[in-house]
Amino acid sequence: MKELSLHILDILENAVEAGASRMEIRIDEDPSGDDLTIVIRDNGRGMAPETAERTVDPFYSTRKTRHVGLGLPLFSEAARRCEGALRIDSKPGKGTAVTAMFRRSHIDRAPLGDIATALLAILLSERPVD
């Protein structure tokens, strides 16, 4: 994806599909440490540890409508490409937190993009979310 905001939108859409009614996004930029960190938390149904581990596999999906899931694998690869990493913390019945870390100045780091439009797309969807 050309902008990090599109990755964020994809994760927010996943959270809504997982029954989340509340989502939190935190974007921390540390120029002195050359870090960019994006954290997305939700109160959806969460996942078992073995399921959370498999979510970065492009050929794994819990959806019945298709057999691949590229959102998290692409986000993970975007972070790794920029000397960063992606971490998924999830507990069944509690929700999920996705943390993506990037080297801020890396030449391959995509721009943040249009965060406002990504948020509006979720907020104006047919499901009530905070």
Side-chain angles (χ1 to χ4, degrees):
M1 294 187 209
K2 292 182 179 183
E3 298 177 347
L4 296 176
S5 63
L6 298 176
H7 289 289
I8 292 169
L9 176 59
D10 181 66
I11 292 170
L12 294 174
E13 288 173 341
N14 288 346
V16 169
E17 287 295 317
S21 60
R22 183 167 176 76
M23 293 165 272
E24 174 188 333
I25 302 166
R26 192 179 80 227
I27 301 171
D28 294 320
E29 229 176 334
D30 178 11
S32 64
D34 200 22
D35 296 320
L36 172 68
T37 304
I38 300 170
V39 180
I40 304 155
R41 295 182 199 282
D42 70 61
N43 68 345
R45 68 177 153 266
M47 298 175 274
E50 55 277 356
T51 302
E53 247 180 61
R54 294 190 66 197
T55 58
V56 293
D57 177 350
F59 300 106
Y60 176 78
S61 178
T62 58
R63 292 183 181 176
K64 304 298 181 213
T65 56
R66 59 185 169 170
H67 300 288
V68 295
L70 295 176
L72 284 168
L74 289 173
F75 199 23
S76 178
E77 183 54 34
R80 271 198 291 268
R81 194 173 49 243
C82 299
E83 299 175 25
L86 183 90
R87 186 177 72 233
I88 301 165
D89 299 305
S90 190
K91 291 188 175 134
K94 301 286 182 183
T96 301
V98 176
T99 304
M101 297 154 284
F102 301 84
R103 193 178 92 201
R104 182 179 174 271
S105 67
H106 198 283
I107 192 165
D108 291 327
R109 184 181 63 80
L112 275 174
D114 190 354
I115 298 291
T117 298
L119 294 177
L120 279 174
I122 291 299
L123 291 171
L124 298 175
S125 70
E126 56 194 53
R127 296 196 182 158
V129 294
D130 288 332

